[in-house]
Amino acid sequence: MRRITSHLPSTLGAGLTRARALRLAAAAAVLPLALSACGGEDGGNTNADGTWEPNGPIEITAPAGTGGGWDTLARTSARLLESEGLVDQSIQVVNKPGAGGAIGWAYIAGNEGDPQKLFVTSPPILLVPMAGDSEYDHEDFTPIARLATDYIVYLVPADSELETFDDLVETVDEGDANIGGGSAPGSMDHVALAGAIDAAGGNAAAASYVPFDGGGEAMTALLGGHVDAAVVGVSEAAGMLEAGELRALAVSSPEPVEAIADVPTLLDQDVDFTFDIWRGVMAPSGLDEAQVTYYEDLFADLLETQAWQEESASLGWTDAYQNSADFGAFLDEKRSEFTEILTEVGLQ
């Protein structure tokens, strides 16, 4: 289970030096009401009852470019948190693309203990470090909450001759398919592609996987004819599928997804493989319990709003909330599962 650790010394309870604790005690005796909602060194307000709240803009980092799954989650969350009146402060979304997410993770790691910087996350936080492409993994951050589950779609151009997932597998086995994805080699989209091809009886190693910095770039490459197919999240592809610009051969969900109800699952095509893209929020290391609790409750409240329910349904998301402790344990379990999958398909 991911342990939430404070960046303050535990021996003094509130993490203060003895001298500073004495000074504050003296001040409290003179001005007992001054501490009812004081601004703390943590970048927010710590109230007399021990609760915490931010006192300035909250920043949510998407560790990729615009148009992908991380960017969609960050901007959807930020917009609805503000429009639903769940936060008093503004929320800023910043994009830190590059290296399959590693650039963004390095940025967050450099802000240890800052409770007003968050980032959105999904399986690459496990897979990219496992491939040796990031010095930071999920244990270097504070899990806040798991929010939703998304699924993978296997896309081709609208005028492609490929009609089924088996058609794609046959093309892969012939060595004629370049397939784009929005994550690094050996990461989420690549694993979802290789696992499905393997389950269909094809040669996963024969697939020429072309990585892009986010699903948006992968789909742009597909539209431009630079790859023959693409593997991205449903939420990333929903708009282009609705517009008829792209066509989906299959979705990796166990059941049809409402937002793309006409797309068959892999299971419908006798391919015994499913793959879910869990999506959540994390923060730098060093947050204390009150700060984590604030964000746990904030995102739990967000998921209960009608606006979130409507937006997530249109994006093909399924709510899958977990609090910080459960999300941390989930991440540990998923790392073990991914190790098995990567080994099975020869990616590790």
Side-chain angles (χ1 to χ4, degrees), residues 245-332:
E245 297 179 77
L246 297 174
R247 184 160 49 82
L249 302 178
V251 60
S252 69
S253 57
E255 302 287 344
V257 175
E258 182 178 350
I260 51 170
D262 59 334
V263 177
T265 68
L266 289 168
L267 297 177
D268 289 336
Q269 300 177 67
D270 296 322
V271 179
D272 189 14
F273 182 79
T274 61
F275 190 92
D276 65 292
I277 309 171
W278 47 265
R279 299 194 182 279
V281 181
M282 301 184 78
S285 63
L287 269 65
D288 65 31
E289 184 177 352
Q291 294 161 350
V292 171
T293 297
Y294 170 83
Y295 286 116
E296 284 179 325
D297 294 344
L298 178 65
F299 284 99
D301 290 344
L302 173 64
L303 266 61
E304 292 180 359
T305 65
Q306 183 176 349
W308 172 271
Q309 296 292 330
E310 293 174 353
E311 191 95 16
S312 62
S314 71
L315 293 168
W317 294 342
T318 301
D319 287 353
Y321 179 82
Q322 288 180 318
N323 64 18
S324 176
D326 290 342
F327 188 29
F330 171 84
L331 292 171
D332 291 339

Side-chain angles (χ1 to χ4, degrees), residues 184-207:
S187 191
M188 179 176 69
D189 296 345
H190 194 187
V191 170
L193 173 65
I197 291 173
D198 183 68
N203 180 10

